[in-house]
Amino acid sequence: MTPRDASEPNGSRWSDLDRPPLNITALRRGLVREGGLWSEVEIVQRTGSTNSDLVARAAEGGAAEGAVLVAEEQTAGRGRLDRQWTAPPRSGLFFSVLLKPGEVPVARWGWLPLLTGVAVATGLARAAGVDTALKWPNDLLVTVGGEERKAGGILAERAGDDGVVIGVGLNVTLKEDELPVPTAGSLALAGAVSTDRDPLLRAVLRSLEEWYGKWRAAGGDPGVSGLQEAYAAGCATLGREVRAELPGDRAVVGEAVAVDGDGRLVLATGEGVQEPVGAGDIVHLRPA
């Protein structure tokens, strides 16, 4: 059944009963509270990219820290390296948040996408009963039929001088015949005990608030906050032979042995060199 927009004649938000709309009233009641991180929650039915929208709003001064923008459908969602991210309406969680960690040195802001990965994995373990592994730097992996598949991704973008917008895209109810590529997955295909997006989103955002609070209280120190240890524990890239495809058409092959204090992936190469990688595309060459 193809969902129809609520604005269409005779249309209904409930035209696909397997994919009900998010409940904005319940989400605001559960997330926006005095003294909490989340200052506002907004849901739009359809947009190009929640990240682009929230970055633009922040640039205009129209968004406070803790603003959350959720889309029921994204038509121009982006991953790293400007890759496209598309999915049927209401089949996943597509949202962006605005963070302003002013007391944390900018040099440590690179930990924010890694922190978000830990938070999403923690929230999904609680609410969906699914083990979500992290592929450095920002992919969310689930196991479907014994195979690792990508179920989501994270994208961080600067927003003005004092902010970062973090976007998350997560496949929740996608079926096999809806997957954009065979290597994609979803929580439903991974055997989630719940695919109700309302409690899933609440769990992920509460987990993000918790981890962001720890990290910020520690001045962004990944060791003191426990973030570096938690990321390493959940990172599926560590212990594997990988190929890092780097800017300038350069590639490095080696075993991923650590994530250092700057959030870089450290590769032990065949030449006996340990090379930190701060940006690049990582290809897993063999199982851990």
Side-chain angles (χ1 to χ4, degrees), residues 133-226:
L134 306 170
K135 179 187 172 190
W136 189 92
N138 56 8
D139 287 350
L140 304 163
L141 306 178
V142 296
T143 302
V144 179
E147 295 180 346
E148 270 184 354
R149 297 202 196 172
K150 179 178 175 179
I154 296 159
L155 180 67
E157 296 182 86
R158 285 294 294 267
D161 295 329
D162 63 345
V164 179
V165 167
I166 308 283
V168 176
L170 180 68
N171 295 333
V172 177
T173 60
L174 256 69
K175 307 174 183 74
E176 282 283 359
D177 61 358
E178 295 175 317
L179 297 175
V181 291
T183 54
S186 69
L187 298 186
L189 292 173
V193 296
S194 171
T195 56
D196 185 338
R197 294 180 306 142
D198 283 284
L200 293 179
L201 182 56
R202 285 197 300 271
V204 166
L205 288 173
R206 285 171 180 158
S207 180
L208 180 52
E209 179 176 11
E210 182 182 335
W211 273 107
Y212 180 63
K214 288 181 189 176
W215 177 78
R216 193 163 56 172
D221 188 308
V224 172
S225 63

Side-chain angles (χ1 to χ4, degrees), residues 106-150:
V106 173
R108 288 175 167 168
W109 289 16
W111 272 97
L112 282 169
L114 307 185
L115 181 156
T116 303
V118 170
V120 172
T122 304
L124 292 179
R126 292 172 183 164
V130 168
D131 285 333
T132 308
L134 306 170
K135 179 187 172 190
W136 189 92
N138 56 8
D139 287 350
L140 304 163
L141 306 178
V142 296
T143 302
V144 179
E147 295 180 346
E148 270 184 354
R149 297 202 196 172
K150 179 178 175 179

Side-chain angles (χ1 to χ4, degrees), residues 11-276:
S12 168
R13 294 189 306 163
W14 296 90
S15 52
D16 186 337
L17 295 178
D18 289 332
R19 291 174 175 161
L22 291 163
N23 185 328
I24 184 62
T25 303
L27 287 170
R28 285 174 176 159
R29 187 168 56 239
L31 293 167
V32 180
R33 56 186 173 78
E34 191 70 32
L37 173 62
W38 308 120
S39 55
E40 61 172 310
V41 179
E42 181 184 354
I43 296 175
V44 295
Q45 291 303 306
R46 195 169 189 260
T47 191
S49 160
T50 56
N51 253 40
S52 296
D53 293 349
L54 197 50
V55 166
R57 194 178 301 174
E60 296 164 358
E65 179 174 47
V68 180
L69 179 61
V70 189
E72 294 283 28
E73 180 185 8
Q74 277 194 139
T75 58
R78 291 170 293 126
R80 288 181 64 250
L81 308 178
D82 286 331
R83 291 174 178 143
Q84 295 299 302
W85 180 280
T86 58
R90 302 195 296 275
S91 65
L93 291 174
F94 320 111
F95 66 93
S96 298
V97 303
L98 174 61
L99 304 176
K100 296 186 177 183
E103 65 275 40
V104 174
V106 173
R108 288 175 167 168
W109 289 16
W111 272 97
L112 282 169
L114 307 185
L115 181 156
T116 303
V118 170
V120 172
T122 304
L124 292 179
R126 292 172 183 164
V130 168
D131 285 333
T132 308
L134 306 170
K135 179 187 172 190
W136 189 92
N138 56 8
D139 287 350
L140 304 163
L141 306 178
V142 296
T143 302
V144 179
E147 295 180 346
E148 270 184 354
R149 297 202 196 172
K150 179 178 175 179
I154 296 159
L155 180 67
E157 296 182 86
R158 285 294 294 267
D161 295 329
D162 63 345
V164 179
V165 167
I166 308 283
V168 176
L170 180 68
N171 295 333
V172 177
T173 60
L174 256 69
K175 307 174 183 74
E176 282 283 359
D177 61 358
E178 295 175 317
L179 297 175
V181 291
T183 54
S186 69
L187 298 186
L189 292 173
V193 296
S194 171
T195 56
D196 185 338
R197 294 180 306 142
D198 283 284
L200 293 179
L201 182 56
R202 285 197 300 271
V204 166
L205 288 173
R206 285 171 180 158
S207 180
L208 180 52
E209 179 176 11
E210 182 182 335
W211 273 107
Y212 180 63
K214 288 181 189 176
W215 177 78
R216 193 163 56 172
D221 188 308
V224 172
S225 63
L227 176 59
Q228 189 172 3
E229 181 181 3
Y231 187 85
C235 182
T237 304
L238 293 179
R240 289 179 124 127
E241 192 81 10
V242 304
R243 183 175 66 251
E245 297 172 350
L246 308 176
D249 290 329
R250 192 167 77 90
V252 176
V253 174
E255 182 184 352
V257 294
V259 174
D260 71 12
D262 294 320
R264 298 176 300 180
L265 185 68
V266 180
L267 302 185
T269 70
E271 293 76 38
V273 175
Q274 291 208 342
E275 180 160 346

